[in-house]
Amino acid sequence: MIEDKNPQRTPLSELGEFKLIEHLTAQFKINHKSTVLGIGDDAAILNPSKKQIVVTTDLLVEGVHFDLSYVPLKHLGYKAVMVNISDVCAMNANATQITVSIAVSNRFPLEALEELYAGIETAARLYNVDVVGGDTTSSTSGLIISITAVGEVEEDKVVKRSGAKPNDLLVVTGDLGGAYMGLQVLEREKEVFKVNPQNQPDLSMYTYIVERQLKPEARKDIVDLLKELDVKPTSMIDISDGLSSEIIHICKQSNVGVDLYENKIPLDPQVISTCEEFNIDSTTIALNGGEDYELLMTISQEDFPKIKGNPNLTVIGYMTEAERGMHLITRAETKVPIIAKGWKSFNENEKQ
Amino acid sequence: MIEDKNPQRTPLSELGEFKLIEHLTAQFKINHKSTVLGIGDDAAILNPSKKQIVVTTDLLVEGVHFDLSYVPLKHLGYKAVMVNISDVCAMNANATQITVSIAVSNRFPLEALEELYAGIETAARLYNVDVVGGDTTSSTSGLIISITAVGEVEEDKVVKRSGAKPNDLLVVTGDLGGAYMGLQVLEREKEVFKVNPQNQPDLSMYTYIVERQLKPEARKDIVDLLKELDVKPTSMIDISDGLSSEIIHICKQSNVGVDLYENKIPLDPQVISTCEEFNIDSTTIALNGGEDYELLMTISQEDFPKIKGNPNLTVIGYMTEAERGMHLITRAETKVPIIAKGWKSFNENEKQ
């Protein structure tokens, strides 16, 4: 489907490890005042001055987290950075630096890694993070990307998963389920391609959801918006595994329950129409789909006037005493317990 | 050779990703005042107060960096932490936190990961670093370990690779070549084992060098010693790829040359005897072996009285003007250019 159109294929062994790292990282610029020293020493040096720092890390493995038959390497590099920045945003912090480690097998030519790093560079530039270190090595099979992100936050601004209180409002950004339905479309086209490699897929009906899957954006803008609105959420988490799973994290870590309203869950029309086409229930997708990288937060009721009517923020429920449990209130007004069916990589793998 | 003797084998899929992380990380304790929040949120929160922080990351890949047929998982976990702490030490900093990400295939039972994490926990406890985050996921093949270490250092104490000056002394800690010769012994025993699996290897003659390979120690003690001696090196690097390679890094980044004296390179008697047994030149091994995780530094001549006679520190040469180049002065008093033959993973892999 999406092929490497670059006819040049330079084997990695031509460069050796040091030269490869040098070559791939030459394009990275240092912008943050807090970056004292970037790539090229035993470690990077950062000076967060008086702020607290947050640190988060994610590992992406070929064949488990991504399928290179339909994920362009540039998008993959971009997404790998977003996944980490999203975690930093979920702490109400600003991402400032990342380290990027990759392991690749020799089947990847230099030009493929250049594509991957171009995506990383674009993400770092657009989200204003400095790439300050990393490691590049070979693997016996496939591509592995490990990114660690560092962010800064003033001590009184940091938001954990554990601060939600009964009666707080449950608020989500953007809309849900798009990334998962985008994946379904791409998987279907892959099967078509296997049968008929001449077939050119027409994805024009699915542009939004395919982009949600291939090129998610971390909600850095929400961290800025919350500051502007003078709202500090009582708890926050990013939606990587699915709404159910993240709600359960907040409830357990805050020791609260929740009533989630099915009819409030924000869905894009393209998600609804694609769910109909695939004959899947859109609420199930929103609850369990994952990879939307939206933010889920709880806010105090007294802050409601500040967020009311804001198109970026949707109230989807409210927190209760822990004893009341975690429930979805369906459109038919029945109460269904919320259970996590999030993406479980070990089970997924077993099925293969 | 070294087998998993635990008869219990719990498949990873029995736990699922969240429970697995919880199970493996339950043993980790938070000790550092600067760790505000550890594992369990979107990111860890650190408060380095007025210090600078250093960040470094390393990726270890099965079949490239380690061979599980002779590396016990507990040692591997320990070593993976050491490799990163060593980089922090090379900045003259104190390691304070690490994040640990692993990808494993389903061929590993839970008990194997428990062994790996026991090694990580031991290293973290002995070197006083908090494990504050990470990621655990499946891989389509083999084991991958990605560790990021964070350290603290006062602004005026940080040592880079780039500060060496002509006439500075070149100083190395400990002795060199042991880790590489330990690997040679282990590789030989593996071949013997393939032919005769009943053979019990006698490694008693090689205990020091095998331990150097399997269980290296980061020279955190040297950071403390330098403080005690009131010596701030002008440059420093840890020896992961081999003495030649690290000397070249310092020379290039400091824009100096070097005269290195062959007869000054510290070698353990076991390295010398094993080199004789394998019919390899011990200087070649010290120069190119790698993985010793000793520290290589340059210090100003006026600091020489402070380090003189210290058994941990050996002067092995001195820095020159860059135009004089980088040379080894052999025992026969000939000058040989220093070239990097360090461990190049892409080439290594190609040979396989």
Side-chain angles (χ1 to χ4, degrees), chain B residues 249-263:
Chain B
H249 279 306
I250 285 185
C251 287
K252 283 195 174 164
Q253 289 183 240
S254 298
N255 193 31
V256 292
V258 72
D259 278 353
L260 165 69
Y261 291 85
E262 183 181 16
N263 63 355

Side-chain angles (χ1 to χ4, degrees), chain B residues 64-306:
Chain B
V64 178
H65 300 95
F66 56 88
D67 181 336
L68 289 177
S69 63
Y70 53 75
V71 178
L73 281 161
K74 197 167 173 177
H75 285 66
L76 179 64
Y78 191 90
K79 183 169 176 173
V81 176
M82 283 310 128
V83 169
N84 281 280
I85 294 181
S86 180
D87 278 321
V88 172
C89 292
M91 305 303 289
N92 206 28
N94 290 305
T96 44
Q97 287 93 7
I98 55 170
T99 64
V100 178
S101 294
I102 59 164
V104 273
S105 69
N106 277 328
R107 79 174 154 93
F108 290 87
L110 177 62
E111 290 72 18
L113 291 192
E114 285 173 346
E115 277 293 294
L116 181 73
Y117 271 75
I120 291 168
E121 195 277 329
T122 304
R125 184 164 33 79
L126 292 178
Y127 283 75
N128 192 25
V129 298
D130 293 343
V131 182
V132 296
D135 199 5
T136 305
T137 186
S138 60
S139 88
T140 45
S141 78
L143 174 63
I144 296 123
I145 309 171
S146 175
I147 293 187
T148 298
V150 174
E152 292 179 356
V153 58
E154 282 148 45
E155 196 175 335
D156 59 346
K157 290 278 184 293
V158 69
V159 177
K160 304 177 197 173
R161 294 179 177 176
S162 54
K165 299 270 175 295
N167 301 318
D168 281 354
L169 301 172
L170 183 67
V171 175
V172 73
T173 64
D175 52 69
L176 300 177
Y180 184 84
M181 289 317 294
L183 182 64
Q184 299 316 302
V185 169
L186 289 167
E187 292 274 2
R188 183 178 65 183
E189 294 308 320
K190 183 184 172 183
E191 295 308 312
V192 172
F193 180 81
K194 277 185 194 165
V195 177
N196 177 11
Q198 302 309 317
N199 183 63
Q200 279 295 318
D202 178 12
L203 297 178
S204 60
M205 277 173 65
Y206 310 105
T207 45
Y208 176 70
I209 58 174
V210 167
E211 185 154 326
R212 292 287 282 175
Q213 169 59 224
L214 293 181
K215 195 168 164 289
E217 305 288 347
R219 300 305 308 257
K220 174 186 160 71
D221 60 321
I222 297 296
V223 176
D224 299 336
L225 176 69
L226 289 170
K227 201 174 175 180
E228 199 181 294
L229 296 176
D230 190 30
V231 172
K232 184 187 169 189
T234 53
S235 71
M236 191 151 62
I237 189 170
D238 78 320
I239 301 181
S240 51
D241 293 317
L243 182 61
S244 296
S245 175
E246 318 307 354
I247 286 178
I248 293 170
H249 279 306
I250 285 185
C251 287
K252 283 195 174 164
Q253 289 183 240
S254 298
N255 193 31
V256 292
V258 72
D259 278 353
L260 165 69
Y261 291 85
E262 183 181 16
N263 63 355
K264 300 289 186 192
I265 298 173
L267 300 172
D268 186 86
Q270 210 168 81
V271 170
I272 296 169
S273 61
T274 313
C275 279
E276 280 168 6
E277 186 188 335
F278 277 74
N279 202 17
I280 317 179
D281 176 50
S282 58
T283 302
T284 306
I285 297 311
L287 287 173
N288 303 316
E291 291 204 280
D292 288 314
Y293 300 105
E294 296 293 342
L295 293 173
L296 177 73
M297 65 191 90
T298 55
I299 69 160
S300 169
Q301 293 222 8
E302 65 196 35
D303 281 334
F304 178 64
K306 299 180 188 169

Side-chain angles (χ1 to χ4, degrees), chain A residues 112-139:
Chain A
L113 291 192
E114 285 173 344
E115 277 293 294
L116 181 73
Y117 271 75
I120 292 168
E121 195 278 329
T122 304
R125 183 165 33 81
L126 292 178
Y127 282 74
N128 193 26
V129 299
D130 292 344
V131 182
V132 297
D135 198 5
T136 305
T137 185
S138 60
S139 89

Side-chain angles (χ1 to χ4, degrees), chain A residues 24 27-28 32 39 55-61 65-66 71-90 93-102 113-134 143-151 213-220 238 240 291-293, chain B residues 42-43 135:
Chain A
L24 291 173
Q27 60 186 321
F28 294 125
H32 276 277
I39 290 168
V55 180
T56 180
T57 190
D58 260 296
L59 195 61
L60 298 180
V61 179
H65 299 94
F66 56 88
V71 177
L73 282 161
K74 197 168 172 176
H75 285 66
L76 179 63
Y78 191 89
K79 184 169 176 173
V81 176
M82 283 308 128
V83 169
N84 282 280
I85 293 181
S86 180
D87 279 321
V88 172
C89 292
N94 290 306
T96 44
Q97 287 92 8
I98 56 172
T99 63
V100 178
S101 294
I102 59 165
L113 291 192
E114 285 173 344
E115 277 293 294
L116 181 73
Y117 271 75
I120 292 168
E121 195 278 329
T122 304
R125 183 165 33 81
L126 292 178
Y127 282 74
N128 193 26
V129 299
D130 292 344
V131 182
V132 297
L143 174 63
I144 296 124
I145 309 171
S146 176
I147 293 187
T148 298
V150 174
Q213 170 60 224
L214 294 181
K215 194 168 164 287
E217 304 288 347
R219 298 306 306 259
K220 174 185 160 73
D238 77 322
S240 51
E291 290 204 281
D292 287 314
Y293 299 104
Chain B
D42 292 276
D135 199 5

Side-chain angles (χ1 to χ4, degrees), chain A residues 142-341:
Chain A
L143 174 63
I144 296 124
I145 309 171
S146 176
I147 293 187
T148 298
V150 174
E152 291 179 356
V153 57
E154 282 148 45
E155 196 175 335
D156 60 346
K157 289 279 184 295
V158 70
V159 177
K160 304 176 196 173
R161 294 178 178 177
S162 56
K165 298 270 175 296
N167 301 318
D168 281 355
L169 301 172
L170 183 66
V171 175
V172 72
T173 64
D175 53 70
L176 300 178
Y180 183 85
M181 289 316 295
L183 182 63
Q184 299 315 302
V185 169
L186 289 166
E187 292 275 2
R188 183 178 65 184
E189 294 307 320
K190 183 185 171 183
E191 294 308 312
V192 172
F193 180 82
K194 277 186 194 164
V195 178
N196 178 9
Q198 301 309 315
N199 183 63
Q200 277 297 316
D202 178 12
L203 298 177
S204 60
M205 278 173 65
Y206 310 105
T207 45
Y208 176 70
I209 58 174
V210 167
E211 184 153 327
R212 291 287 281 175
Q213 170 60 224
L214 294 181
K215 194 168 164 287
E217 304 288 347
R219 298 306 306 259
K220 174 185 160 73
D221 59 321
I222 298 295
V223 176
D224 299 336
L225 177 68
L226 289 170
K227 199 173 177 183
E228 200 180 294
L229 296 175
D230 190 29
V231 172
K232 184 188 169 189
T234 53
S235 71
M236 190 150 62
I237 189 170
D238 77 322
I239 301 181
S240 51
D241 293 317
L243 183 59
S244 297
S245 175
E246 317 307 354
I247 286 178
I248 293 171
H249 279 306
I250 284 185
C251 287
K252 284 195 173 163
Q253 289 182 241
S254 298
N255 193 31
V256 291
V258 72
D259 278 351
L260 166 69
Y261 290 86
E262 183 180 16
N263 64 355
K264 301 290 187 191
I265 299 172
L267 300 171
D268 186 84
Q270 211 169 82
V271 171
I272 297 170
S273 62
T274 313
C275 279
E276 279 167 8
E277 187 188 333
F278 278 74
N279 201 19
I280 318 180
D281 176 49
S282 57
T283 302
T284 306
I285 298 313
L287 287 172
N288 304 314
E291 290 204 281
D292 287 314
Y293 299 104
E294 295 294 341
L295 293 173
L296 177 72
M297 66 191 89
T298 56
I299 68 160
S300 170
Q301 291 222 10
E302 66 195 32
D303 281 334
F304 178 64
K306 297 179 188 168
I307 66 153
K308 195 180 166 184
N310 192 302
N312 290 292
L313 303 169
T314 308
V315 178
I316 56 173
Y318 61 90
M319 312 318 282
T320 64
E321 300 292 338
E323 303 78 61
R324 299 245 334 250
M326 302 179 280
H327 293 98
L328 174 74
I329 317 295
T330 67
R331 286 195 190 86
E333 297 202 352
T334 56
K335 267 191 151 180
V336 184
I338 295 173
I339 46 169
K341 282 188 191 153

